[in-house]
Amino acid sequence: MLYKSCVEYANYSLNHVEGCSHGCTYPCYAMMMKKRYGVIKSYQDWTEPKIVSNTLELLDKELPKLKSKINKVFLCFTTDPFMYQVLEVEQLTLKILKRLNEDKIKAVLISKGVYPNALTDRAVYNEQNEYGITVVFSSDDYRRRFEPQAAPLDLRVQALKMLHDAGLKTWVSMEPYPTPNIVKQDIREILRKISFVDRIVFGKWNYNKSTSQFLHYKNFYNSMAYEVASFCEQRKIECHIKKGSINMDLIPDNRLLERTLLTCYL
Ligand code: SF4
């Protein structure tokens, strides 16, 4: 169940569900990999998630051996831990968090669902867990097109704000951020809505030819990264721009971006 991850912010990860009902059409990298390796046959297969029913038993076996090596566990790389309106997944994720936190292991989460109130209970869940949501659209019209079964944006943000107001660490992934030929929007509208978070991670839209067909896409991503980095600097928000999302050679004055942490965050 627990496996080593290659990212710097959480050295272990787990995926307790096969598939994801959100059915993102960017497309979803996890779905593409599962299709390539024959684990699933179709998009429909992918959007009918199957829980790993013995997850907690596996954790009970693995944690005594691994807990001294784990700093944080990431949930999840290939599914969503708070799948919108899938109570079975939510309940299992809460049990996993409780189990990890009992052993004083912190978790870093990312979701396109709605975080429940229960997470504010410090007697059960570690206050150093980090709760993240993905927000790449300013409007639910676009969200419905590319994240059809995920939670509406306002619900995601409201739930994250509730965790922030309870003193918990929150972050937003702005990846995959679309080029204007995919979605025309003002990035500042998104930034204004998420200005309360502790960290913003920005990354470009991948695995879709439309991005590189946009004539000035390199300049576009440079200016979007600059917008995010300046916003974060003004508000003292930690900022990560994913490597490969910008081209430093094309930026005439890149002092701000040089100060920003360029990272393979996700
Ligand atoms: S929420 Fe994540 S795992 Fe689920 S379909 Fe979307 S991109 Fe894939």
Side-chain angles (χ1 to χ4, degrees):
M1 178 54 50
L2 287 159
Y3 65 95
K4 272 199 167 174
S5 98
C6 55
V7 291
E8 72 268 26
Y9 58 90
N11 64 345
Y12 274 78
S13 181
L14 67 80
N15 299 293
H16 50 300
V17 186
E18 185 72 57
C20 179
S21 64
H22 292 165
C24 301
T25 57
Y26 314 123
C28 166
Y29 179 75
M31 183 192 75
M32 291 191 327
M33 288 300 108
K34 297 279 175 175
K35 255 192 184 171
R36 179 181 294 178
Y37 293 108
V39 181
I40 55 156
K41 288 197 176 67
S42 62
Y43 176 80
Q44 169 131 8
D45 270 358
W46 176 251
T47 53
E48 291 168 359
K50 289 151 203 80
I51 272 182
V52 179
S53 57
N54 60 344
T55 300
L56 295 168
E57 288 84 342
L58 290 172
L59 280 182
D60 279 340
K61 270 192 204 153
E62 294 173 12
L63 280 171
K65 287 180 227 151
L66 291 175
K67 69 178 171 189
S68 62
K69 298 179 187 156
I70 300 176
N71 64 10
K72 289 180 192 162
V73 174
F74 185 75
L75 285 82
C76 301
F77 282 114
T78 67
T79 188
D80 193 300
F82 284 97
M83 231 172 268
Y84 184 50
Q85 295 181 324
V86 186
L87 201 57
E88 206 187 354
V89 171
E90 176 177 314
Q91 296 295 318
L92 181 54
T93 301
L94 289 174
K95 286 179 188 162
I96 291 167
L97 281 179
K98 182 168 179 280
R99 180 66 190 87
L100 293 173
N101 292 168
E102 270 167 15
D103 273 5
K104 306 210 176 331
I105 296 170
K106 290 165 256 171
V108 183
L109 296 97
I110 182 75
S111 178
K112 295 185 184 87
V114 176
Y115 285 113
N117 265 319
L119 292 167
T120 59
D121 185 348
R122 284 182 164 72
V124 180
Y125 304 104
N126 193 311
E127 64 185 10
Q128 285 178 38
N129 290 337
E130 297 170 28
Y131 300 98
I133 58 168
T134 302
V135 184
V136 293
F137 304 119
S138 61
S139 133
D140 256 322
D141 294 337
Y142 301 128
R143 193 274 307 160
R144 273 189 281 274
R145 198 164 124 210
F146 293 104
E147 300 167 350
Q149 312 298 335
L153 297 166
D154 283 354
L155 295 186
R156 277 183 225 180
V157 175
Q158 278 162 24
L160 196 70
K161 179 79 167 48
M162 177 260 304
L163 298 182
H164 165 82
D165 291 346
L168 300 171
K169 291 186 181 173
T170 57
W171 64 285
V172 164
S173 166
M174 296 183 76
E175 188 193 23
Y177 193 80
T179 44
N181 58 329
I182 301 174
V183 167
K184 265 200 177 58
Q185 62 182 2
D186 183 345
I187 197 168
R188 289 168 299 186
E189 269 187 53
I190 301 176
L191 292 169
R192 274 195 292 272
K193 284 183 197 162
I194 58 168
S195 60
F196 61 88
V197 299
D198 301 298
R199 179 172 66 240
I200 296 177
V201 179
F202 177 84
K204 68 184 172 74
W205 188 284
N206 291 307
Y207 321 118
N208 189 319
K209 282 188 194 140
S210 309
T211 305
S212 48
Q213 280 164 1
F214 182 65
L215 195 56
H216 304 294
Y217 78 97
K218 288 183 182 165
N219 284 323
F220 171 76
Y221 279 121
N222 282 349
S223 63
M224 293 301 102
Y226 195 87
E227 196 74 55
V228 174
S230 353
F231 182 87
C232 289
E233 182 162 271
Q234 281 160 21
R235 286 163 182 78
K236 310 272 177 272
I237 297 171
E238 192 182 321
C239 180
H240 294 247
I241 305 296
K242 281 190 70 176
K243 271 183 193 157
S245 291
I246 55 169
N247 187 328
M248 296 296 270
D249 299 338
L250 294 176
I251 304 175
D253 175 5
N254 58 18
R255 279 169 294 178
L256 175 62
L257 285 173
E258 276 170 356
R259 285 201 301 276
T260 305
L261 193 49
L262 298 178
T263 176
C264 298
Y265 195 74
L266 274 179

